[in-house]
Amino acid sequence: MKALKYALVVVVTLLFFFPIYWVFTMAFKPFPEWTAAAGKVYWFPNHPTLDNFRAIFSQKLEMSPIAGTAIRPIVNSLFVSIAGTAIAMAVGIFAAYGISRYKAGGSLPFMLLQLRMFPPIAIIIPIMIMWAFLRMIDTWFGLVVIYGVVTLPFAVWLMKTFFDDIPRELDEAAIVDGCSNMKAFFQVVLPLAKGGIASSALFVFILNWSDFLIALILTDRKWITIPVHISKLQSAMVGALYGPKAALGMIGAVPPIVFGILIQKYLVRGLTFGAIKK
Amino acid sequence: VLKKQIALEERRGNDVAKLGFLLTLPAQVMLLFIVIFPLLASIYLSLTEWSPLSGGGTKWFQAYRFWGWLANYWNILRDHDFLMSIVRTFVIVAVVVPVEFFIGLGLAFLFRDNFAGKKIFHSVILMPMMIVPAVAGFTFYMLFQGQGPVNSALSAVAFRDVSILWLQGQASAMIAIMIADIWQWAPFMFLILLSGLMALPEDQINAALILGASKWQRFRLVLFPLMKPIIVISLIFRGMEAVKIFDAIWLMTTGGPGTVTESISVYMYKHGFRHLKWSWVASGGVIVLILITLISMQALKPIKEQEEKT
């Protein structure tokens, strides 16, 4: 029975791992091994190569993509995700503290949850009009602002649970001892919440980094992100560029996997808006 | 203690309410900015028949020149593709969420015991959840090609040549899309349910064991009632995200062949950005918002109750 269970665990894990294995190895496969056109599926790269990575970073190679190099999208993704996270966290931390300690904000927390439920596509056209009006289409701040708003619900709810975990008595004692309300927040509560802030920020970063739809709509040429670039990678010579797409996909997949494993302990809390604290 | 309380009140001053207001102000403003304007603009546009292509470059605020009252609503509610995209989205949710739940639950039970390499297995199973959804979509696009590894593996198992054109038929494409979603999000269920299982009080389960409860009885009478809040929350949050499905479909089939795998988001994206029917999409957006609000008000109830208890 025990051996059977163990075998089941191994099989299921392998099944879950296979698609990841497939993109990651595809990234190192030369063109003839991308598909089974020759009648045979290549389960692992027979002639591993870095050509796919070269292709996405250059424009000279024969199979170089129409969409241009991937350097800009990678930098964009990094910059926009980090800045969006900073906005969500900066606004979220204060709101969460207000909600946690002063019961402020009224229905704000649930408005935020509700916001999270709407498919973004349902209000994206007016947002696009608004962005066009403010000349924010295909700009970094246009994306950063919307990322900040879209991930704000997570930042607020997550930080609220971390503040709730810190005993009130601590900041109250500081206030009794002569701190101002805000000084107690900055000097007592905030340092204690450092771990919570770091994990919330990583969590929000993963969400921003993973976005596809918003960047697809609100960017055009200059500020496209990694997922948008992947969807556009085509070549006039060979059609769908499996290898280069996989190479860029792999580059895009690594940061969230690393961060996700770092904050494994808090993933449940994050994904359920703190409803389950573990 | 009372003295301390009074000292605290005194030190805090009278502007505690004001401070709370100021702390939450930026969040409120952002919410207004991103919800109220788009909402009003959506309603306004939905009542017109304007599109960016209409009448010599009229701007959106001049859309009243193409005023159409409820024409968009009347037409979109009779649009087969729109209605089907809603039905299809809810079919996807109704299939993937329970399947993800049961896979997650099964895995969680397997991971309750200790075994060699548990940590590694645990991390590997969580990986799909962290893959960028667009990358996951592209991966499954490759896997489900006619000459892809899925058919090849099926051929090996079936001892005959399997060459299903997965993404070219409606039923098979829907299955492929659902498999991609299940692969990505069953780990989410697993993670939540495992944390729930691990947090269960040992003594209650042991007591049931001593009293001679069968496995099924232990599950139904002890585990299930204790797990219920977590189960409800996991289903709500997964369902809530699943309704938005876009990335995987867009990269696997772009809603095709034709329109037969379009979800709500894919339908709206196509009509908004390929056909530029903005007022049409605005009316669709308003309908979807009403629908989702009605559902989410029900769905969020248990969470509200839990929040009020604490």
Side-chain angles (χ1 to χ4, degrees):
Chain A
M1 191 62 193
K2 212 156 195 182
L4 202 73
K5 267 190 184 173
Y6 196 69
L8 196 59
V9 169
V10 173
V11 170
V12 173
T13 308
L14 286 177
L15 277 178
F16 272 103
F17 186 64
F18 180 71
I20 297 171
Y21 166 82
W22 193 259
V23 230
F24 279 31
T25 50
M26 181 61 76
F28 298 99
K29 284 179 189 167
F31 174 62
E33 295 178 19
W34 290 354
T35 59
K40 166 178 168 216
V41 170
Y42 289 86
W43 294 97
F44 56 94
N46 284 356
H47 303 282
T49 164
L50 288 175
D51 279 355
N52 297 322
F53 291 91
R54 270 183 222 121
I56 56 173
F57 289 119
S58 88
Q59 278 176 316
K60 288 190 193 107
L61 286 167
E62 204 173 78
M63 59 173 198
S64 88
I66 295 167
T69 79
I71 298 169
R72 186 69 200 262
I74 293 172
V75 176
N76 289 350
S77 265
L78 267 176
F79 177 76
V80 174
S81 309
I82 292 173
T85 305
I87 290 192
M89 289 304 293
V91 175
I93 286 173
F94 287 110
Y97 188 67
I99 294 166
S100 168
R101 290 298 196 270
Y102 299 101
K103 304 273 166 256
S107 60
L108 176 70
F110 284 96
M111 294 261 302
L112 287 168
L113 266 190
Q114 202 105 32
L115 169 73
R116 191 62 210 174
M117 286 196 143
F118 295 148
I121 191 81
I123 48 169
I124 202 79
I125 292 227
I127 288 178
M128 200 181 134
I129 291 174
M130 187 174 172
W131 257 225
F133 191 67
L134 299 168
R135 304 205 176 280
M136 295 197 339
I137 301 276
D138 205 19
T139 61
W140 63 269
F141 47 92
L143 263 194
V144 166
V145 169
I146 194 101
Y147 280 170
V149 177
V150 169
T151 49
L152 181 64
F154 286 100
V156 171
W157 277 81
L158 262 174
M159 283 316 299
K160 179 184 169 297
T161 66
F162 284 115
F163 287 140
D164 286 346
D165 286 351
I166 297 170
R168 275 167 172 281
E169 287 74 25
L170 286 175
D171 37 323
E172 287 177 355
I175 292 170
V176 172
D177 289 345
C179 276
S180 73
N181 289 319
M182 282 325 277
K183 209 173 160 198
F185 171 58
F186 281 114
Q187 296 195 340
V188 180
V189 181
L190 223 44
L192 286 172
K194 254 192 312 200
I197 293 172
S199 16
S200 307
L202 287 180
F203 185 79
V204 169
F205 175 87
I206 295 178
L207 291 175
N208 285 333
W209 180 266
S210 303
D211 164 72
F212 171 56
L213 180 61
I214 295 173
L216 183 65
I217 291 170
L218 295 182
T219 64
D220 179 23
R221 210 168 288 121
K222 277 197 219 140
W223 285 93
I224 62 168
T225 56
I226 293 175
V228 180
H229 193 72
I230 291 176
S231 77
K232 288 187 173 167
L233 272 178
Q234 295 284 337
S235 140
M237 302 291 292
V238 286
L241 291 166
Y242 282 35
K245 275 181 184 226
L248 187 55
M250 187 178 145
I251 294 172
V254 170
I257 292 180
V258 173
F259 292 163
I261 289 170
L262 272 180
I263 57 165
Q264 231 180 66
K265 231 170 77 187
Y266 297 110
L267 277 178
V268 172
R269 193 191 278 224
L271 288 161
T272 61
F273 296 85
I276 296 168
K277 281 189 207 158
K278 199 169 179 179
Chain B
V1 178
L2 195 66
K3 222 178 186 176
K4 222 177 171 185
Q5 193 64 36
I6 295 168
L8 178 69
E9 301 283 314
E10 226 163 63
R11 291 280 324 160
R12 276 220 157 130
N14 300 325
D15 32 313
V16 165
K18 200 173 127 203
L19 185 63
F21 171 76
L22 285 177
L23 283 168
T24 52
L25 185 65
Q28 305 262 29
V29 171
M30 271 175 104
L31 202 64
L32 279 185
F33 178 67
I34 218 66
V35 174
I36 302 301
F37 170 81
L39 206 61
L40 293 178
S42 268
I43 295 171
Y44 169 60
L45 284 180
S46 71
L47 296 171
T48 72
E49 284 170 45
W50 174 81
S51 93
L53 303 176
S54 36
T58 17
K59 294 275 190 283
W60 68 275
F61 47 82
Q62 296 163 320
Y64 60 85
R65 293 187 197 165
F66 301 88
W67 200 256
W69 292 109
L70 296 174
N72 277 330
Y73 290 92
W74 176 243
N75 290 325
I76 203 171
L77 282 172
R78 291 186 304 163
D79 182 33
H80 178 258
D81 288 348
F82 178 66
L83 298 177
M84 280 314 292
S85 76
I86 294 181
V87 172
R88 211 172 283 125
T89 305
F90 284 102
V91 168
I92 292 176
V93 174
V95 173
V96 298
V97 176
V99 172
E100 286 159 10
F101 172 77
F102 285 113
I103 293 177
L105 188 67
L107 277 173
F109 273 112
L110 285 176
F111 272 74
R112 228 158 43 122
D113 315 326
N114 278 318
F115 48 82
K118 183 176 162 180
K119 259 200 161 148
I120 296 168
F121 287 117
H122 185 264
S123 297
V124 171
I125 290 184
L126 293 190
M127 275 163 81
M129 203 168 94
M130 296 160 210
I131 295 278
V132 178
V135 175
F138 167 64
T139 307
F140 278 84
Y141 168 84
M142 291 192 292
L143 295 180
F144 280 112
Q145 287 303 307
Q147 293 167 321
V150 169
N151 277 343
S152 177
L154 286 177
S155 305
V157 177
F159 292 112
R160 62 188 179 82
D161 203 25
V162 179
S163 50
I164 306 168
L165 294 172
W166 287 94
L167 303 176
Q168 268 90 51
Q170 172 168 24
S172 56
M174 286 290 280
I175 292 171
I177 288 165
M178 286 174 182
I179 290 175
D181 193 86
I182 291 165
W183 171 78
Q184 183 148 43
W185 296 111
F188 165 78
M189 289 292 194
F190 161 66
L191 189 60
I192 292 185
L193 294 171
L194 181 63
S195 79
L197 273 184
M198 299 308 267
L200 287 179
E202 285 280 329
D203 38 338
Q204 290 193 31
I205 300 168
N206 289 338
L209 208 59
I210 292 165
L211 290 172
S214 72
K215 264 200 166 154
W216 171 241
Q217 278 174 326
R218 248 183 294 155
F219 179 75
R220 195 169 55 92
L221 299 170
V222 184
L223 286 181
F224 184 72
L226 287 170
M227 292 275 289
K228 207 177 148 203
I230 287 189
I231 292 175
V232 171
I233 286 170
S234 69
L235 293 175
I236 291 174
F237 282 110
R238 189 70 268 285
M240 188 167 128
E241 292 293 319
V243 174
K244 303 183 200 166
I245 186 164
F246 175 82
D247 304 14
I249 299 183
W250 192 251
L251 277 125
M252 287 171 77
T253 67
T254 58
T259 60
V260 298
T261 54
E262 284 180 355
S263 67
I264 295 175
S265 297
V266 174
Y267 173 91
M268 306 262 269
Y269 179 79
K270 272 192 182 171
H271 283 256
F273 299 96
R274 282 205 172 160
H275 313 314
L276 294 175
K277 292 162 74 176
W278 287 15
S279 60
W280 178 268
V281 172
S283 68
V286 172
I287 293 169
V288 171
L289 284 186
I290 293 172
L291 200 66
I292 302 274
T293 310
L294 290 177
I295 297 172
S296 69
M297 268 165 29
Q298 289 304 313
L300 288 180
K301 255 187 198 158
I303 295 168
K304 257 187 185 159
E305 276 160 19
Q306 198 195 359
E307 191 67 19
E308 272 153 19
K309 259 187 244 158
T310 53

PDB file of all heavy atoms in Angstrom, chain A residues 120-143:
ATOM      1  N   PRO A 120     -11.053  41.649 -16.271  1.00  0.00           N
ATOM      2  CA  PRO A 120     -10.546  42.966 -16.676  1.00  0.00           C
ATOM      3  C   PRO A 120     -11.069  43.380 -18.048  1.00  0.00           C
ATOM      4  O   PRO A 120     -11.276  44.556 -18.295  1.00  0.00           O
ATOM      5  CB  PRO A 120      -9.032  42.791 -16.675  1.00  0.00           C
ATOM      6  CG  PRO A 120      -8.758  41.373 -16.368  1.00  0.00           C
ATOM      7  CD  PRO A 120      -9.994  40.731 -15.883  1.00  0.00           C
ATOM      8  N   ILE A 121     -11.305  42.392 -18.897  1.00  0.00           N
ATOM      9  CA  ILE A 121     -11.740  42.720 -20.257  1.00  0.00           C
ATOM     10  C   ILE A 121     -13.064  43.490 -20.247  1.00  0.00           C
ATOM     11  O   ILE A 121     -13.339  44.275 -21.142  1.00  0.00           O
ATOM     12  CB  ILE A 121     -11.874  41.423 -21.095  1.00  0.00           C
ATOM     13  CG1 ILE A 121     -12.056  41.736 -22.587  1.00  0.00           C
ATOM     14  CG2 ILE A 121     -13.010  40.552 -20.627  1.00  0.00           C
ATOM     15  CD1 ILE A 121     -10.816  42.027 -23.307  1.00  0.00           C
ATOM     16  N   ALA A 122     -13.879  43.299 -19.198  1.00  0.00           N
ATOM     17  CA  ALA A 122     -15.196  43.933 -19.170  1.00  0.00           C
ATOM     18  C   ALA A 122     -15.114  45.449 -19.039  1.00  0.00           C
ATOM     19  O   ALA A 122     -16.038  46.150 -19.422  1.00  0.00           O
ATOM     20  CB  ALA A 122     -16.042  43.348 -18.043  1.00  0.00           C
ATOM     21  N   ILE A 123     -14.022  45.959 -18.475  1.00  0.00           N
ATOM     22  CA  ILE A 123     -13.925  47.419 -18.376  1.00  0.00           C
ATOM     23  C   ILE A 123     -12.694  47.961 -19.096  1.00  0.00           C
ATOM     24  O   ILE A 123     -12.349  49.132 -18.966  1.00  0.00           O
ATOM     25  CB  ILE A 123     -13.913  47.915 -16.909  1.00  0.00           C
ATOM     26  CG1 ILE A 123     -12.928  47.116 -16.077  1.00  0.00           C
ATOM     27  CG2 ILE A 123     -15.297  47.864 -16.303  1.00  0.00           C
ATOM     28  CD1 ILE A 123     -12.691  47.747 -14.718  1.00  0.00           C
ATOM     29  N   ILE A 124     -12.075  47.114 -19.917  1.00  0.00           N
ATOM     30  CA  ILE A 124     -10.793  47.554 -20.494  1.00  0.00           C
ATOM     31  C   ILE A 124     -10.987  48.603 -21.589  1.00  0.00           C
ATOM     32  O   ILE A 124     -10.113  49.434 -21.797  1.00  0.00           O
ATOM     33  CB  ILE A 124      -9.981  46.341 -21.008  1.00  0.00           C
ATOM     34  CG1 ILE A 124      -8.502  46.688 -21.106  1.00  0.00           C
ATOM     35  CG2 ILE A 124     -10.473  45.874 -22.356  1.00  0.00           C
ATOM     36  CD1 ILE A 124      -7.753  46.664 -19.838  1.00  0.00           C
ATOM     37  N   ILE A 125     -12.113  48.578 -22.287  1.00  0.00           N
ATOM     38  CA  ILE A 125     -12.295  49.554 -23.379  1.00  0.00           C
ATOM     39  C   ILE A 125     -12.353  50.983 -22.841  1.00  0.00           C
ATOM     40  O   ILE A 125     -11.598  51.842 -23.309  1.00  0.00           O
ATOM     41  CB  ILE A 125     -13.527  49.200 -24.228  1.00  0.00           C
ATOM     42  CG1 ILE A 125     -13.208  47.908 -24.959  1.00  0.00           C
ATOM     43  CG2 ILE A 125     -13.907  50.352 -25.157  1.00  0.00           C
ATOM     44  CD1 ILE A 125     -13.510  47.853 -26.398  1.00  0.00           C
ATOM     45  N   PRO A 126     -13.189  51.255 -21.829  1.00  0.00           N
ATOM     46  CA  PRO A 126     -13.143  52.606 -21.269  1.00  0.00           C
ATOM     47  C   PRO A 126     -11.788  52.944 -20.663  1.00  0.00           C
ATOM     48  O   PRO A 126     -11.342  54.093 -20.773  1.00  0.00           O
ATOM     49  CB  PRO A 126     -14.216  52.604 -20.188  1.00  0.00           C
ATOM     50  CG  PRO A 126     -14.902  51.315 -20.263  1.00  0.00           C
ATOM     51  CD  PRO A 126     -14.295  50.469 -21.291  1.00  0.00           C
ATOM     52  N   ILE A 127     -11.138  51.948 -20.069  1.00  0.00           N
ATOM     53  CA  ILE A 127      -9.805  52.233 -19.535  1.00  0.00           C
ATOM     54  C   ILE A 127      -8.867  52.615 -20.673  1.00  0.00           C
ATOM     55  O   ILE A 127      -8.074  53.549 -20.567  1.00  0.00           O
ATOM     56  CB  ILE A 127      -9.256  51.027 -18.742  1.00  0.00           C
ATOM     57  CG1 ILE A 127     -10.017  50.909 -17.428  1.00  0.00           C
ATOM     58  CG2 ILE A 127      -7.763  51.175 -18.477  1.00  0.00           C
ATOM     59  CD1 ILE A 127      -9.611  49.749 -16.576  1.00  0.00           C
ATOM     60  N   MET A 128      -8.997  51.910 -21.768  1.00  0.00           N
ATOM     61  CA  MET A 128      -8.161  52.226 -22.914  1.00  0.00           C
ATOM     62  C   MET A 128      -8.453  53.631 -23.430  1.00  0.00           C
ATOM     63  O   MET A 128      -7.531  54.376 -23.774  1.00  0.00           O
ATOM     64  CB  MET A 128      -8.417  51.204 -24.009  1.00  0.00           C
ATOM     65  CG  MET A 128      -7.296  51.156 -24.990  1.00  0.00           C
ATOM     66  SD  MET A 128      -7.659  49.981 -26.266  1.00  0.00           S
ATOM     67  CE  MET A 128      -7.203  50.952 -27.661  1.00  0.00           C
ATOM     68  N   ILE A 129      -9.738  53.989 -23.480  1.00  0.00           N
ATOM     69  CA  ILE A 129     -10.114  55.332 -23.921  1.00  0.00           C
ATOM     70  C   ILE A 129      -9.522  56.373 -22.983  1.00  0.00           C
ATOM     71  O   ILE A 129      -8.916  57.361 -23.389  1.00  0.00           O
ATOM     72  CB  ILE A 129     -11.654  55.469 -23.951  1.00  0.00           C
ATOM     73  CG1 ILE A 129     -12.214  54.603 -25.074  1.00  0.00           C
ATOM     74  CG2 ILE A 129     -12.062  56.913 -24.123  1.00  0.00           C
ATOM     75  CD1 ILE A 129     -13.713  54.546 -25.104  1.00  0.00           C
ATOM     76  N   MET A 130      -9.668  56.072 -21.673  1.00  0.00           N
ATOM     77  CA  MET A 130      -9.138  56.983 -20.662  1.00  0.00           C
ATOM     78  C   MET A 130      -7.621  57.117 -20.821  1.00  0.00           C
ATOM     79  O   MET A 130      -7.079  58.218 -20.760  1.00  0.00           O
ATOM     80  CB  MET A 130      -9.478  56.365 -19.308  1.00  0.00           C
ATOM     81  CG  MET A 130      -9.173  57.187 -18.106  1.00  0.00           C
ATOM     82  SD  MET A 130      -9.859  56.227 -16.707  1.00  0.00           S
ATOM     83  CE  MET A 130      -9.260  57.149 -15.347  1.00  0.00           C
ATOM     84  N   TRP A 131      -6.974  55.997 -21.058  1.00  0.00           N
ATOM     85  CA  TRP A 131      -5.510  56.007 -21.219  1.00  0.00           C
ATOM     86  C   TRP A 131      -5.114  56.779 -22.480  1.00  0.00           C
ATOM     87  O   TRP A 131      -4.148  57.527 -22.467  1.00  0.00           O
ATOM     88  CB  TRP A 131      -4.999  54.557 -21.284  1.00  0.00           C
ATOM     89  CG  TRP A 131      -4.365  54.045 -20.043  1.00  0.00           C
ATOM     90  CD1 TRP A 131      -3.199  53.344 -19.982  1.00  0.00           C
ATOM     91  CD2 TRP A 131      -4.839  54.154 -18.697  1.00  0.00           C
ATOM     92  NE1 TRP A 131      -2.924  53.018 -18.669  1.00  0.00           N
ATOM     93  CE2 TRP A 131      -3.900  53.499 -17.866  1.00  0.00           C
ATOM     94  CE3 TRP A 131      -5.940  54.734 -18.089  1.00  0.00           C
ATOM     95  CZ2 TRP A 131      -4.038  53.414 -16.482  1.00  0.00           C
ATOM     96  CZ3 TRP A 131      -6.090  54.641 -16.716  1.00  0.00           C
ATOM     97  CH2 TRP A 131      -5.144  53.991 -15.941  1.00  0.00           C
ATOM     98  N   ALA A 132      -5.881  56.584 -23.544  1.00  0.00           N
ATOM     99  CA  ALA A 132      -5.591  57.295 -24.788  1.00  0.00           C
ATOM    100  C   ALA A 132      -5.748  58.799 -24.561  1.00  0.00           C
ATOM    101  O   ALA A 132      -4.943  59.605 -25.024  1.00  0.00           O
ATOM    102  CB  ALA A 132      -6.524  56.818 -25.893  1.00  0.00           C
ATOM    103  N   PHE A 133      -6.795  59.142 -23.825  1.00  0.00           N
ATOM    104  CA  PHE A 133      -7.095  60.530 -23.518  1.00  0.00           C
ATOM    105  C   PHE A 133      -5.948  61.159 -22.731  1.00  0.00           C
ATOM    106  O   PHE A 133      -5.565  62.302 -22.954  1.00  0.00           O
ATOM    107  CB  PHE A 133      -8.387  60.560 -22.715  1.00  0.00           C
ATOM    108  CG  PHE A 133      -8.963  61.930 -22.555  1.00  0.00           C
ATOM    109  CD1 PHE A 133      -9.452  62.630 -23.647  1.00  0.00           C
ATOM    110  CD2 PHE A 133      -9.036  62.524 -21.301  1.00  0.00           C
ATOM    111  CE1 PHE A 133      -9.981  63.886 -23.503  1.00  0.00           C
ATOM    112  CE2 PHE A 133      -9.571  63.786 -21.152  1.00  0.00           C
ATOM    113  CZ  PHE A 133     -10.045  64.470 -22.258  1.00  0.00           C
ATOM    114  N   LEU A 134      -5.410  60.391 -21.773  1.00  0.00           N
ATOM    115  CA  LEU A 134      -4.309  60.893 -20.936  1.00  0.00           C
ATOM    116  C   LEU A 134      -2.951  60.635 -21.585  1.00  0.00           C
ATOM    117  O   LEU A 134      -1.913  60.814 -20.959  1.00  0.00           O
ATOM    118  CB  LEU A 134      -4.361  60.220 -19.554  1.00  0.00           C
ATOM    119  CG  LEU A 134      -5.628  60.450 -18.726  1.00  0.00           C
ATOM    120  CD1 LEU A 134      -5.668  59.499 -17.544  1.00  0.00           C
ATOM    121  CD2 LEU A 134      -5.695  61.894 -18.259  1.00  0.00           C
ATOM    122  N   ARG A 135      -2.959  60.183 -22.806  1.00  0.00           N
ATOM    123  CA  ARG A 135      -1.733  59.823 -23.550  1.00  0.00           C
ATOM    124  C   ARG A 135      -0.885  58.816 -22.767  1.00  0.00           C
ATOM    125  O   ARG A 135       0.311  58.990 -22.602  1.00  0.00           O
ATOM    126  CB  ARG A 135      -0.905  61.064 -23.865  1.00  0.00           C
ATOM    127  CG  ARG A 135      -1.695  62.102 -24.630  1.00  0.00           C
ATOM    128  CD  ARG A 135      -0.825  63.017 -25.464  1.00  0.00           C
ATOM    129  NE  ARG A 135      -1.663  63.920 -26.234  1.00  0.00           N
ATOM    130  CZ  ARG A 135      -2.266  63.576 -27.362  1.00  0.00           C
ATOM    131  NH1 ARG A 135      -2.101  62.366 -27.862  1.00  0.00           N
ATOM    132  NH2 ARG A 135      -3.032  64.441 -27.998  1.00  0.00           N
ATOM    133  N   MET A 136      -1.517  57.787 -22.273  1.00  0.00           N
ATOM    134  CA  MET A 136      -0.789  56.784 -21.480  1.00  0.00           C
ATOM    135  C   MET A 136      -0.723  55.422 -22.165  1.00  0.00           C
ATOM    136  O   MET A 136      -0.209  54.477 -21.597  1.00  0.00           O
ATOM    137  CB  MET A 136      -1.410  56.639 -20.093  1.00  0.00           C
ATOM    138  CG  MET A 136      -1.255  57.924 -19.323  1.00  0.00           C
ATOM    139  SD  MET A 136      -1.462  57.951 -17.550  1.00  0.00           S
ATOM    140  CE  MET A 136      -2.378  56.569 -17.111  1.00  0.00           C
ATOM    141  N   ILE A 137      -1.231  55.310 -23.386  1.00  0.00           N
ATOM    142  CA  ILE A 137      -1.103  54.054 -24.124  1.00  0.00           C
ATOM    143  C   ILE A 137       0.352  53.864 -24.520  1.00  0.00           C
ATOM    144  O   ILE A 137       1.000  54.817 -24.968  1.00  0.00           O
ATOM    145  CB  ILE A 137      -1.974  54.070 -25.407  1.00  0.00           C
ATOM    146  CG1 ILE A 137      -3.435  54.293 -25.074  1.00  0.00           C
ATOM    147  CG2 ILE A 137      -1.758  52.818 -26.234  1.00  0.00           C
ATOM    148  CD1 ILE A 137      -4.186  53.074 -24.696  1.00  0.00           C
ATOM    149  N   ASP A 138       0.848  52.652 -24.343  1.00  0.00           N
ATOM    150  CA  ASP A 138       2.213  52.315 -24.732  1.00  0.00           C
ATOM    151  C   ASP A 138       3.258  53.180 -24.026  1.00  0.00           C
ATOM    152  O   ASP A 138       4.259  53.576 -24.608  1.00  0.00           O
ATOM    153  CB  ASP A 138       2.390  52.428 -26.262  1.00  0.00           C
ATOM    154  CG  ASP A 138       3.522  51.535 -26.759  1.00  0.00           C
ATOM    155  OD1 ASP A 138       3.891  50.599 -26.022  1.00  0.00           O
ATOM    156  OD2 ASP A 138       4.023  51.768 -27.866  1.00  0.00           O
ATOM    157  N   THR A 139       2.978  53.516 -22.757  1.00  0.00           N
ATOM    158  CA  THR A 139       3.980  54.205 -21.951  1.00  0.00           C
ATOM    159  C   THR A 139       4.226  53.370 -20.704  1.00  0.00           C
ATOM    160  O   THR A 139       3.397  52.540 -20.351  1.00  0.00           O
ATOM    161  CB  THR A 139       3.501  55.581 -21.476  1.00  0.00           C
ATOM    162  OG1 THR A 139       2.343  55.385 -20.655  1.00  0.00           O
ATOM    163  CG2 THR A 139       3.162  56.483 -22.639  1.00  0.00           C
ATOM    164  N   TRP A 140       5.355  53.618 -20.040  1.00  0.00           N
ATOM    165  CA  TRP A 140       5.627  52.815 -18.845  1.00  0.00           C
ATOM    166  C   TRP A 140       4.663  53.162 -17.721  1.00  0.00           C
ATOM    167  O   TRP A 140       4.152  52.285 -17.034  1.00  0.00           O
ATOM    168  CB  TRP A 140       7.080  52.926 -18.406  1.00  0.00           C
ATOM    169  CG  TRP A 140       7.510  54.307 -18.001  1.00  0.00           C
ATOM    170  CD1 TRP A 140       8.056  55.248 -18.807  1.00  0.00           C
ATOM    171  CD2 TRP A 140       7.408  54.894 -16.711  1.00  0.00           C
ATOM    172  NE1 TRP A 140       8.301  56.384 -18.102  1.00  0.00           N
ATOM    173  CE2 TRP A 140       7.928  56.207 -16.815  1.00  0.00           C
ATOM    174  CE3 TRP A 140       6.953  54.442 -15.473  1.00  0.00           C
ATOM    175  CZ2 TRP A 140       7.992  57.068 -15.722  1.00  0.00           C
ATOM    176  CZ3 TRP A 140       7.014  55.296 -14.386  1.00  0.00           C
ATOM    177  CH2 TRP A 140       7.524  56.589 -14.519  1.00  0.00           C
ATOM    178  N   PHE A 141       4.343  54.465 -17.568  1.00  0.00           N
ATOM    179  CA  PHE A 141       3.482  54.787 -16.419  1.00  0.00           C
ATOM    180  C   PHE A 141       2.053  54.316 -16.639  1.00  0.00           C
ATOM    181  O   PHE A 141       1.349  54.008 -15.690  1.00  0.00           O
ATOM    182  CB  PHE A 141       3.552  56.273 -16.051  1.00  0.00           C
ATOM    183  CG  PHE A 141       3.429  57.226 -17.201  1.00  0.00           C
ATOM    184  CD1 PHE A 141       2.196  57.731 -17.570  1.00  0.00           C
ATOM    185  CD2 PHE A 141       4.552  57.604 -17.921  1.00  0.00           C
ATOM    186  CE1 PHE A 141       2.087  58.618 -18.632  1.00  0.00           C
ATOM    187  CE2 PHE A 141       4.448  58.481 -18.989  1.00  0.00           C
ATOM    188  CZ  PHE A 141       3.220  58.985 -19.353  1.00  0.00           C
ATOM    189  N   GLY A 142       1.646  54.245 -17.912  1.00  0.00           N
ATOM    190  CA  GLY A 142       0.311  53.709 -18.190  1.00  0.00           C
ATOM    191  C   GLY A 142       0.162  52.291 -17.661  1.00  0.00           C
ATOM    192  O   GLY A 142      -0.825  51.948 -17.020  1.00  0.00           O
ATOM    193  N   LEU A 143       1.176  51.474 -17.910  1.00  0.00           N
ATOM    194  CA  LEU A 143       1.129  50.088 -17.438  1.00  0.00           C
ATOM    195  C   LEU A 143       1.307  50.017 -15.927  1.00  0.00           C
ATOM    196  O   LEU A 143       0.622  49.255 -15.242  1.00  0.00           O
ATOM    197  CB  LEU A 143       2.247  49.278 -18.091  1.00  0.00           C
ATOM    198  CG  LEU A 143       1.911  48.443 -19.327  1.00  0.00           C
ATOM    199  CD1 LEU A 143       3.046  47.492 -19.593  1.00  0.00           C
ATOM    200  CD2 LEU A 143       0.614  47.698 -19.165  1.00  0.00           C
TER     201      LEU A 143
END
